[in-house]
């Protein structure tokens, strides 16, 4: 099968290369690199305006390497204007008759005479591209003190609810990548890692709403790509960050980068702790429409102890100007310990039961990611590349539940579940930018294997020890092999950009229950299209339209039939019969970047047979059973708005919001369940740069309730104040902030109902948080480490629903 895909991909490459080479037009490219004349470093985020006959035709911003480019420019005489805060403006006259590379454009730092500046632009926080929105973390002063999770509250299209769950356009069906690659540390519960990840180590966050065909087709709402790589060069530099948060959450992370000639290395690592005590947990359940009536009420207090650590090393070697090898290793690990003491009051008709329960749940994770990339360049064009990538990761996720009772007839019990997973990925990517058309194609194979060895043990008074219950013990294994090819074309004309492509994927899934020697097999093919159009208008305006299909594949934790009874009277079990879900997504976006930035988008998506978390009340056992089923039919109509405006060179204002209406329905035990409602969020942020390296920031956001098939959550809000001070300019920075200072706890509520019950779970999380950090930068670098332009990005499995 993989040989067939490779042959077909090569054939498509030959066809598209032949077609695209004919797409010629009298339009040229104009590019260059901005350099600081004093430091010889690249000029980041300079504004470059293309002017003709006293009218500005286009405006671009140089990237972090100082590069800028204008495409599809007609022949003629033009004037280029360069500018940025702190630099003298510069003008260049250019006569364009062919593709022109200006080479290095040197910019001088200005003195005290500000009148010379013709164009000024502070580093833009938000950038709109045809298929994504990019948020520059380093341009936001709060990134020096907050975690990545807290910074995500400010990123357009993203929101964080009261239980720290990240939402993309109001939903949780998306994928998270780090530097375009998946990581085992993010496979199950990404909020734990994001809460510990300092934002000052992140360069930018990309929210990809119309993923091109080179990405795996998983993630119904899109992809969140966290970019941590930084430019480095000959010499060395490093960064050490120490932080403290109340409730108790100390953390430390560091990185060191070394570059000498063609060799580069980047070493990094970090650790953190999150400990809270006295978190109130309430469970309420009432029967309805059945006799005899029953009810459950429990009140408890939870203690949580989280620990995590991660590290890594990346090596880069330039064999010559056209050949590059990179390798990376990323170990990680941690645990989450939850100790809960609860009192239960249960009624069932005339019978009344009261008892106490003490439970201890320990969930661990540990693993390592390994990646190797080889990149081959070509002499005709710098962007003409062939890349081979290989990635392997394995992880273990043991879970232990220990439950004991006081004044209760059921025996104490333990549950032990050891989950393991391994994944290998090999891919080949090719890109060739012709004058008007850019062609991309590739092949990919993903081989996954997972295993879960679970058993339940009940305490026996006869032997005074725990005894294995064979009816609740099993070994489950799951293999998932995916083979794919893709082909994408990008056509750039004067004011138009067209991007179209398709991805063909074949998936083979096998599940095996060793104790019963039973097998579950599923095979399916998907052809996934992706289309986007972008029209550039006058005065830095643009309109884009996009359509793509996305797949949601169940993860091993959703397929795992392990029965989790860590909460008595509630049972959580996986479903090995879950199937993949196909979603159709449409998006229309308007952007305006004349001074600040304004983005307005309308979205619509629909999917059938969606995976829904289903709650069922079993009266005879006085038990709520929770599992996942392919029963849903979802529709979403939404709008997104983001506005960013520099009121003055020192004062910036940002507003964003998302408003969705969701329709969900599905059959549960032969009865049709329906729900609909409004979801969304609103964000406000303003920052001010004072004299003498002081910075201040205020942020606030509100989130509407989440709408689920059988219920909804409550709404939530967030208010934060922060500031930073450079103790030693560009070397040592102290930062501090406070979130929600007027309320210590806030209840997070989940309401669920069915034909014969209503249920509510209330968890009072710590709401008030105080942060402080100290960040030290050292060393000096020149030049830059070269990194592979393409890498593995497996975004094709659903996040955990936990």
């Amino acid at each position: 099968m993989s040989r067939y895909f490779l042959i077909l991909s090569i054939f498509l490459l030959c066809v598209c290369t032949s077609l695209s080479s004919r797409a010629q037009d009298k339009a040229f490219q104009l590019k260059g690199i901005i350099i600081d004349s004093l430091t010889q470093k690249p000029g980041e985020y300079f504004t470059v305006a293309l002017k003709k006959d006293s009218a500005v035709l286009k405006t671009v911003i140089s990237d972090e390497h100082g590069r800028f480019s204008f495409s599809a420019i007609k022949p003629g005489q033009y004037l280029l204007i360069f500018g940025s805060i702190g630099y003298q403006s510069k003008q260049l006259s250019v006569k364009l008759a062919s593709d022109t590379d200006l080479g290095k454009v040197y910019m001088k730092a200005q003195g005290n005479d500000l009148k010379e500046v013709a164009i000024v632009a502070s580093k833009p926080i938000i950038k709109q591209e045809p298929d994504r929105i990019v948020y520059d973390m380093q341009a936001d002063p709060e990134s020096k003190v907050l975690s990545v999770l807290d910074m995500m509250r400010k990123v357009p299209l993203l929101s964080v609810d009261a239980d720290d769950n990240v939402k993309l356009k109001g939903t949780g069906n998306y994928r998270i990548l780090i530097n375009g690659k998946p990581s085992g540390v993010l496979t199950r519960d990404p909020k734990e890692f994001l809460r510990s990840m300092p934002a000052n180590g992140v360069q930018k966050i990309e929210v990809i709403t119309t993923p091109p065909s080179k990405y795996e087709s998983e993630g119904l709402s899109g992809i969140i790509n966290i970019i941590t790589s930084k430019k480095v060069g000959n010499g060395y530099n490093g960064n050490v960050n120490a932080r403290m948060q109340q409730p108790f959450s100390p953390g430390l992370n560091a990185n060191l980068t070394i570059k000498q000639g063609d060799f580069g290395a980047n070493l990094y690592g970090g650790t953190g702790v999150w400990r809270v005590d006295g978190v109130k947990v309430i469970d309420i359940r009432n029967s309805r429409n059945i006799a005899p009536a029953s009810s459950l009420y429990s009140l408890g207090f939870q203690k949580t102890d989280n620990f995590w650590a991660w590290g890594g090393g990346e090596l880069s070697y330039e064999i010559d100007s056209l050949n590059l090898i990179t390798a990376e290793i990323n170990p990680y690990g941690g645990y989450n310990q939850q100790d809960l003491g609860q009192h239960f009051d249960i009624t069932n008709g005339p019978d009344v039961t009261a008892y106490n329960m003490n439970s201890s749940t320990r969930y661990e994770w540990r693993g390592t990611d390994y990646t190797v990339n080889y990149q081959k360049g070509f002499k005709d064009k710098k962007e003409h590349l062939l890349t081979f990538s290989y990635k392997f990761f394995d992880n273990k996720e043991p879970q232990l539940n220990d439950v004991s009772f006081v004044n209760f007839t059921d025996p104490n019990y333990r549950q032990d579940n050891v989950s393991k997973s391994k994944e290998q990925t090999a891919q080949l990517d090719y890109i060739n930018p012709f004058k008007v058309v850019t062609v991309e194609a590739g092949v990919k194979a993903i081989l996954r294997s997972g295993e879960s060895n679970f058993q339940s043990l009940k305490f026996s008074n006869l032997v005074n020890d725990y005894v294995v219950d064979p009816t609740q013990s099993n070994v489950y294994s799951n293999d998932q092999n995916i083979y794919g090819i893709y082909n994408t074309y990008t056509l750039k004309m004067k004011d138009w950009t067209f991007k179209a492509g398709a991805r063909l994927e074949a998936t083979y899934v096998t599940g095996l229950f060793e104790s019963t020697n039973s097998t579950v097999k599923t095979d399916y093919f998907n052809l996934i299209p992706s289309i986007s159009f972008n029209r550039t208008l006058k005065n830095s305006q643009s309109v884009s339209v996009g359509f793509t299909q996305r797949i949601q594949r169940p993860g091993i934790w959703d397929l795992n039939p392990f029965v989790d009874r860590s909460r008595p009277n509630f049972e959580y079990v996986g479903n090995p019969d879950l199937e993949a879900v196909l979603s159709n997504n449409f998006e229309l976006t308007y952007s305006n970047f004349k001074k600040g930035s304004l983005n307005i988008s309308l979205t619509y998506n629909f999917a059938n047979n969606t995976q829904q978390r289903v709650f069922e009340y079993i009266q005879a056992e006085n038990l709520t059973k929770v599992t996942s089923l392919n029963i849903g039919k979802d529709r979403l109509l939404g709008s997104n708005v983001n506005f960013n405006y520099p009121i003055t060179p020192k004062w910036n204002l940002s507003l964003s919001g998302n408003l969705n209406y969701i329709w969900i329905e599905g059959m549960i035990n032969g009865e049709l369940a329906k729900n609909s409602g409004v979801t969304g969020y609103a964000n406000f942020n303003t920052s001010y740069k004072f004299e003498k390296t002081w910075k201040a920031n205020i942020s606030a956001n509100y989130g509407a309730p989440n709408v689920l098939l059988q219920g909804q959550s409550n709404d939530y809000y967030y208010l934060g104040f922060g500031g930073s001070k450079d103790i030693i300019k560009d070397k040592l920075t102290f930062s501090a902030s406070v979130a929600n200072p007027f309320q210590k706890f806030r209840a997070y509520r989940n309401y669920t109902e069915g034909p014969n019950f209503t249920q509510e779970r209330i968890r009072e999380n710590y709401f008030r948080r105080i942060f402080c950090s100290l960040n030290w930068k050292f060393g000096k670098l020149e030049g830059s480490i070269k990194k592979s332009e393409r890498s593995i990005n497996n975004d094709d499995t659903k996040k955990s629903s936990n």
Side-chain angles (χ1 to χ4, degrees):
M1 179 60 67
S2 59
R3 180 181 298 176
Y4 164 76
F5 284 134
L6 181 60
I7 294 173
L8 181 57
S9 177
I10 294 173
F11 172 74
L12 290 174
L13 275 174
C14 295
V15 172
C16 69
T17 302
S18 176
L19 292 175
S20 59
S21 62
R22 301 175 188 175
Q24 305 293 331
D25 195 4
K26 291 185 178 180
F28 305 110
Q29 183 185 48
L30 177 62
K31 63 181 181 178
I33 301 176
I34 298 176
I35 301 294
D36 186 304
S37 62
L38 179 62
T39 66
Q40 298 298 305
K41 293 183 178 180
E44 299 182 16
Y45 307 107
F46 278 67
T47 298
V48 186
L50 182 67
K51 194 174 181 181
K52 184 176 184 180
D53 299 330
S54 73
V56 176
L57 303 180
K58 291 186 178 182
T59 302
V60 297
I61 296 173
S62 63
D63 64 15
E64 62 270 24
H65 304 290
R67 296 177 299 200
F68 67 92
S69 175
F70 294 95
S71 59
I73 306 299
K74 291 183 177 181
Q77 189 74 34
Y78 296 92
L79 182 67
L80 283 176
I81 305 176
F82 303 82
S84 183
I85 290 178
Y87 288 84
Q88 298 177 14
S89 64
K90 187 169 188 173
Q91 298 184 6
L92 289 178
S93 180
V94 178
K95 186 176 182 179
L96 198 64
S98 62
D99 288 340
T100 302
D101 187 348
L102 298 176
K104 296 180 179 180
V105 179
Y106 291 95
M107 299 294 293
K108 294 182 180 180
Q110 66 180 160
N112 297 323
D113 186 7
L114 299 180
K115 295 181 181 180
E116 288 187 88
V117 181
I119 298 177
V120 295
S122 59
K123 197 175 181 181
I125 293 180
I126 299 166
K127 182 181 179 182
Q128 173 73 54
E129 297 182 7
D131 55 3
R132 70 194 65 188
I133 287 180
V134 181
Y135 190 92
D136 189 337
M137 300 284 273
Q138 297 302 309
D140 191 323
E142 276 204 310
S143 65
K144 295 184 178 181
V145 62
L146 295 181
S147 68
V148 172
L149 183 68
D150 289 310
M151 287 297 296
M152 282 183 166
R153 303 177 192 272
K154 305 167 68 174
V155 178
L157 307 182
L158 300 186
S159 60
V160 182
D161 67 19
D163 204 32
D164 287 343
N165 297 305
V166 178
K167 306 291 183 181
L168 196 166
K169 295 193 292 187
T171 73
N173 294 325
Y174 57 84
R175 286 292 292 161
I176 298 183
L177 307 176
I178 296 180
N179 295 326
K181 298 174 287 185
S183 175
V185 74
L186 293 172
T187 56
R188 184 175 176 90
D189 193 2
K191 70 181 181 183
E192 297 295 341
F193 177 74
L194 297 175
R195 182 188 288 136
S196 68
M197 189 177 185
N200 68 340
V202 174
Q203 181 181 349
K204 59 185 178 181
I205 294 178
E206 297 179 333
V207 182
I208 308 173
T209 55
T210 308
S213 297
K214 71 177 181 180
Y215 288 100
E216 252 55 57
S217 52
E218 173 64 22
L220 298 188
S221 296
I223 297 170
I224 302 171
N225 189 21
I226 301 172
I227 307 296
T228 63
S229 57
K230 300 178 180 179
K231 66 180 194 309
V232 293
N234 288 326
Y236 74 96
N237 74 359
N239 179 83
V240 178
N241 179 271
R243 61 193 183 279
M244 173 61 77
Q245 175 182 317
Q246 182 61 33
F248 184 74
S249 181
L252 178 69
N253 66 282
N255 68 73
L256 174 66
T257 302
I258 303 171
K259 176 71 162 61
Q260 188 60 47
D262 297 326
F263 174 80
N266 183 26
L267 306 175
Y268 50 89
T271 185
V273 175
W274 168 260
R275 291 175 183 163
V276 294
D277 197 359
V279 175
K280 185 187 293 186
V281 179
I282 300 174
D283 284 303
I284 304 171
R285 185 182 64 208
N286 293 293
S287 66
R288 65 180 183 182
N289 303 324
I290 58 175
S294 65
S295 67
L296 177 148
Y297 178 86
S298 74
L299 171 63
F301 293 90
Q302 186 179 70
K303 178 181 179 181
T304 300
D305 180 9
N306 274 10
F307 170 81
W308 51 82
W310 73 94
E314 183 177 9
L315 302 177
S316 172
Y317 179 67
E318 296 181 53
I319 301 173
D320 53 40
S321 61
L322 298 177
N323 294 276
L324 170 70
I325 296 176
T326 63
E328 189 171 2
I329 181 172
N330 301 101
Y332 57 87
Y335 67 82
N336 180 297
Q337 176 79 35
Q338 297 182 2
D339 299 313
L340 176 63
Q342 284 181 291
H343 175 80
F344 285 80
D345 290 306
I346 300 175
T347 64
N348 189 11
D351 299 328
V352 178
T353 303
Y355 66 91
N356 293 327
M357 181 206 76
N358 295 309
S359 66
S360 175
T361 298
R362 185 180 179 89
Y363 166 66
E364 299 179 4
W365 60 90
R366 52 185 178 269
T368 306
D369 298 350
Y370 307 88
T371 306
V372 177
N373 298 296
Y374 168 71
Q375 179 176 288
K376 167 68 176 177
F378 297 88
K379 292 182 179 181
D380 57 341
K381 293 181 288 289
K382 183 178 180 181
E383 297 83 3
H384 187 186
L385 299 172
L386 178 68
T387 305
F388 172 77
S389 302
Y390 174 79
K391 183 181 181 69
F392 171 79
F393 76 74
D394 69 302
N395 61 40
K396 297 181 180 179
E397 298 177 347
Q399 178 180 342
L400 176 63
N401 303 326
D402 193 342
V403 180
S404 60
F405 301 98
V406 179
N407 299 323
F408 195 52
T409 56
D410 284 6
N412 300 339
Y413 62 87
R414 292 176 179 171
Q415 293 184 295
D416 189 7
N417 175 37
V418 179
S419 295
K420 303 177 182 179
S421 62
K422 294 182 180 180
E423 179 176 296
Q424 297 185 76
T425 304
Q427 74 179 55
L428 186 69
D429 296 292
Y430 175 78
I431 179 171
N432 193 349
F434 297 92
K435 287 187 176 181
V436 178
V437 177
T438 298
V439 180
E440 299 178 65
V443 295
K444 187 171 188 177
I446 305 173
L447 309 179
R448 293 192 177 105
S449 63
E451 179 181 298
S452 174
N453 186 347
F454 57 92
Q455 61 179 358
S456 293
L457 304 93
K458 293 183 178 180
F459 187 81
S460 172
N461 291 320
L462 293 177
V463 298
N464 196 32
D465 200 357
Y466 287 89
V467 179
V468 174
D469 179 1
T471 64
Q472 298 295 328
S473 302
N474 205 339
V475 176
Y476 171 72
S477 62
N478 177 278
D479 292 326
Q480 184 183 84
N481 297 331
I482 304 167
Y483 305 94
I485 63 173
Y486 75 88
N487 199 199
T488 300
Y489 304 88
T490 302
L491 174 63
K492 293 185 178 181
M493 302 176 68
K494 178 181 179 182
D495 297 319
W496 289 90
T497 300
F498 302 90
K499 181 179 287 187
R503 186 178 191 91
L504 178 63
E505 292 183 347
T507 305
Y508 304 90
V509 181
T510 303
L512 174 64
F513 298 89
E514 291 189 8
S515 61
T516 59
N517 197 28
S518 57
T519 303
V520 178
K521 288 189 176 182
T522 304
D523 301 337
Y524 50 89
F525 286 80
N526 296 101
L527 180 62
I528 308 298
S530 178
I531 304 171
S532 63
F533 305 89
N534 181 268
R535 173 72 160 92
T536 302
L537 307 175
K538 295 181 179 180
N539 298 321
S540 302
Q541 301 177 89
S542 67
V543 176
S544 59
V545 179
F547 166 75
T548 186
Q549 289 184 328
R550 307 295 294 162
I551 292 178
Q552 174 188 299
R553 294 187 181 95
I556 180 65
W557 44 87
D558 291 313
L559 298 167
N560 185 357
F562 167 64
V563 180
D564 184 353
R565 291 195 175 95
S566 57
R567 294 171 59 199
N569 303 104
F570 298 89
E571 182 178 287
Y572 301 85
V573 59
N575 179 6
D577 296 321
L578 288 174
E579 299 176 352
V581 179
L582 184 66
S583 173
N584 299 274
N585 305 314
F586 303 85
E587 185 169 60
L588 171 64
T589 302
Y590 166 79
S591 302
N592 188 324
F593 288 90
K594 186 173 182 180
K595 183 176 181 182
S597 65
L598 173 66
N599 296 276
I600 303 174
S601 65
L602 297 175
T603 61
Y604 178 73
N605 61 64
F606 64 91
N608 296 319
N609 201 38
T610 58
Q611 181 179 322
Q612 300 290 335
R613 206 175 194 197
V614 175
F615 294 73
E616 180 184 0
Y617 176 59
I618 304 174
Q619 182 185 11
E621 302 177 38
N622 199 20
L623 175 75
T624 298
K625 184 177 180 180
V626 185
T627 190
S628 294
L629 300 173
N630 288 113
I631 61 171
K633 181 178 180 181
D634 299 6
R635 290 177 294 155
L636 182 147
L637 178 63
S639 62
N640 301 281
V641 178
N642 176 261
F643 175 69
N644 188 279
Y645 188 78
I647 300 174
T648 71
K650 297 181 179 180
W651 186 13
N652 191 76
L653 173 68
S654 176
L655 300 170
S656 64
N658 167 263
L659 185 65
N660 301 320
Y661 197 89
I662 296 177
W663 298 266
I664 310 175
E665 63 179 57
M667 298 294 294
I668 302 177
N669 293 327
E671 296 188 23
L672 181 63
K674 289 185 176 182
N675 200 5
S676 62
V678 175
T679 67
Y681 67 89
N683 289 339
F684 164 84
N685 181 77
T686 184
S687 60
Y688 191 86
K689 298 179 181 180
F690 295 92
E691 299 293 340
K692 299 182 180 179
T693 66
W694 280 95
K695 299 175 183 178
N697 184 279
I698 300 174
S699 60
N701 64 57
Y702 169 82
N706 295 324
V707 177
L708 308 173
L709 177 60
Q710 292 178 273
Q712 67 177 33
S713 67
N714 61 329
D715 60 356
Y716 58 93
Y717 59 86
Y718 176 94
L719 179 64
F721 304 89
S724 65
K725 165 66 176 175
D726 286 347
I727 300 173
I728 302 176
K729 188 175 181 181
D730 298 327
K731 294 292 183 181
L732 186 63
T733 303
F734 174 78
S735 305
S737 69
V738 58
N740 312 306
F742 309 113
Q743 188 175 350
K744 185 176 182 180
F745 293 95
R746 176 160 174 80
Y748 179 69
R749 301 172 181 266
N750 264 318
Y751 175 81
T752 308
E753 63 178 16
N756 62 347
F757 77 101
T758 62
Q759 177 179 303
E760 186 173 20
R761 181 168 175 83
I762 305 170
R763 179 184 173 90
E764 292 193 355
N765 295 325
Y766 273 92
F767 198 48
R768 181 189 303 137
R769 300 180 186 180
I770 301 173
F771 311 82
C772 65
S773 74
L774 194 64
N775 192 74
W776 175 45
K777 297 179 180 179
F778 60 89
K780 183 178 180 181
L781 291 168
E782 300 174 355
S784 63
I785 281 185
K786 192 175 181 181
K787 294 195 175 186
S788 175
E789 297 290 336
R790 294 301 173 95
S791 59
I792 289 174
N793 39 63
N794 294 346
D795 53 326
D796 68 308
T797 54
K798 185 181 185 294
K799 300 190 327 299
S800 168
S801 56
N802 291 343

